[in-house]
């Protein structure tokens, strides 16, 4: 059975927009020139800063010309920067979490500056962030954990009549893998994580919980997909084509590829579980 969900007016308008069409054509016209999201994010913040500066100078000049006295607070400028960056991120078609990052980053930086936080705190925060996100620039996959409602849905999708070997790509802190190991003790459950800190946390948690889930530190591209009956992925739109290229070549007939939230361009899914207020859409491909 195939499930469909209706698009909202906003997503329909966005998909039909000229900008979306141009971005979709970009990889075909210039395959080596398309920017990765991290680079695009930096350029968007710079463009937002430039737009705020031009707007501010224009307003100040106009006020002086008409003999008006106008004072613009630093917070107002920071808020303008945040809103401009979030808007540019939306127009550029970046994923939804990038828009929140663009919106919150200038405000957070201003707030931390107002608090006069010691430099050592910034160093600790940088080290922790590096351990979590140090591969995001290369893999274009941010750290973002799934929720229990997703684990329940995935557990209902996978075959029930016989044991399976399942791997969670980008397993994060290991919650889903340990849940699957608990609910399917007859099966072999694994998780692979490329960032060292989440992997270490999941490994230690599994030991304390005495979970049968196994966690691997590394890149999923080094795996042999032919060994697995079910592959679950919560990655990003930028990574889905590469995932499908590997899965379609290596996975055995009848096995399942499950993706939370992100579809594979031009590859129709076998089953789609529509989104609701608790979880995004889930896409399932059964390998022919």
């Amino acid at each position: 059975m195939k499930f469909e969900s209706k698009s909202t007016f906003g997503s329909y308008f966005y998909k039909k927009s000229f900008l979306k069409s141009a971005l979709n054509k970009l990889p075909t016209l210039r395959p080596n020139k398309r920017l990765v999201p991290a680079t695009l994010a930096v350029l968007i913040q710079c463009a937002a800063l430039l737009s705020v500066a031009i707007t501010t100078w224009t307003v100040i000049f106009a006020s002086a010309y008409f003999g008006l006295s106008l004072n613009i607070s630093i917070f107002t400028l920071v808020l303008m920067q945040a809103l401009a960056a979030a808007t540019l991120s939306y127009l550029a078609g970046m994923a939804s979490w990038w828009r929140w990052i663009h919106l919150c980053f200038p405000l957070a930086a201003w707030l931390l500056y107002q608090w006069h936080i010691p430099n050592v705190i910034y160093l600790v925060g940088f080290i922790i962030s590096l351990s979590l996100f140090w591969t995001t620039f290369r893999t274009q996959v941010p750290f973002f954990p799934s929720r229990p409602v997703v684990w329940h849905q995935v557990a209902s999708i996978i075959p029930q009549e016989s044991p399976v070997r399942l791997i969670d790509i980008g397993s994060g802190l290991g919650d889903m893998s340990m849940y699957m190991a608990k609910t399917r003790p007859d099966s072999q459950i694994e998780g692979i994580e490329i960032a060292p800190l989440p992997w270490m946390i999941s490994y230690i948690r599994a030991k304390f919980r005495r979970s049968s889930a196994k966690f691997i530190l590394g890149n999923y591209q080094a795996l042999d997909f032919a060994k697995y009956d079910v592959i679950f992925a919560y990655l990003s739109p930028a990574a889905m084509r590469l995932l499908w290229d590997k899965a379609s070549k290596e996975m055995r007939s009848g096995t399942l590829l499950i993706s939370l939230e992100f579809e594979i361009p031009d590859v129709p899914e076998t089953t789609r579980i529509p989104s609701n207020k608790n979880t995004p859409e889930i896409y399932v491909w059964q390998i022919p």
Side-chain angles (χ1 to χ4, degrees):
M1 180 179 294
K2 186 173 181 177
F3 301 91
E4 299 289 345
S5 62
K6 295 182 179 179
S7 300
T8 63
F9 176 79
S11 63
Y12 175 82
F13 177 81
Y14 170 66
K15 290 179 180 178
K16 296 297 182 182
S17 67
F18 174 81
L19 180 60
K20 178 67 174 180
S21 176
L23 288 173
N24 286 337
K25 293 177 181 178
L26 187 57
T28 302
L29 297 175
R30 302 181 60 133
N32 296 323
K33 299 297 183 179
R34 191 172 186 181
L35 297 174
V36 297
T39 304
L40 181 58
V42 173
L43 294 178
I44 284 176
Q45 285 290 340
C46 292
L49 180 62
L50 180 61
S51 66
V52 169
I54 293 175
T55 301
T56 303
W57 292 334
T58 302
V59 171
I60 292 176
F61 177 80
S63 300
Y65 180 80
F66 290 104
L68 301 176
S69 178
L70 180 64
N71 293 320
I72 302 177
S73 67
I74 296 298
F75 177 76
T76 301
L77 296 176
V78 172
L79 184 60
M80 291 171 60
Q81 167 78 16
L83 294 174
T87 302
L88 291 174
S89 175
Y90 170 78
L91 294 176
M94 299 192 76
S96 58
W97 61 75
W98 277 109
R99 300 167 203 166
W100 286 106
I101 290 174
H102 282 295
L103 180 66
C104 296
F105 175 75
L107 297 172
W110 176 83
L111 187 61
L112 292 175
Y113 176 77
Q114 294 297 313
W115 286 349
H116 303 290
I117 295 177
N119 293 335
V120 66
I121 302 298
Y122 290 103
L123 177 61
V124 172
F126 173 76
I127 293 174
I128 294 175
S129 298
L130 187 65
S131 299
L132 285 172
F133 303 105
W134 71 302
T135 58
T136 299
F137 183 87
R138 177 165 55 88
T139 63
Q140 304 178 49
V141 179
F143 173 72
F144 199 79
S146 59
R147 290 173 289 179
V149 63
V150 174
W151 316 338
H152 302 158
Q153 290 178 322
V154 173
S156 67
I157 293 171
I158 64 176
Q160 306 293 321
E161 64 276 3
S162 60
V164 298
R165 186 177 183 185
L166 177 149
I167 188 161
D168 178 6
I169 295 175
S171 52
L173 303 181
D175 291 288
M176 177 179 163
S177 298
M178 286 187 282
Y179 172 82
M180 296 301 299
K182 182 179 179 180
T183 57
R184 292 296 301 270
D186 61 324
S187 299
Q188 184 176 347
I189 310 299
E190 301 172 25
I192 186 167
E193 174 58 54
I194 196 171
L197 182 58
W199 168 80
M200 182 175 66
I201 293 174
S202 63
Y203 181 85
I204 295 174
R205 292 178 69 202
K207 293 297 183 182
F208 273 100
R209 293 187 178 187
R210 298 183 179 180
S211 173
S212 61
K214 306 297 181 184
F215 294 98
I216 306 166
L217 175 63
N219 192 326
Y220 77 85
Q221 286 290 330
L223 297 174
D224 180 6
F225 278 8
K227 296 180 179 179
Y228 298 96
D229 304 297
V230 180
I231 294 177
F232 173 81
Y234 189 16
L235 302 178
S236 77
M240 295 308 295
R241 174 55 63 179
L242 190 62
L243 173 65
W244 176 250
D245 289 343
K246 182 176 177 63
S248 60
K249 292 177 183 177
E250 299 180 9
M251 293 185 72
R252 293 173 282 107
S253 177
T255 54
L256 300 179
L257 173 63
I258 304 174
S259 171
L260 175 62
E261 189 170 357
F262 307 116
E263 57 187 328
I264 300 172
D266 303 320
V267 181
E269 65 278 0
T270 306
T271 301
R272 180 191 302 183
I273 300 177
S275 61
N276 55 48
K277 63 180 181 180
N278 295 318
T279 181
E281 289 180 315
I282 297 178
Y283 299 88
V284 182
W285 293 266
Q286 185 172 36
I287 306 301

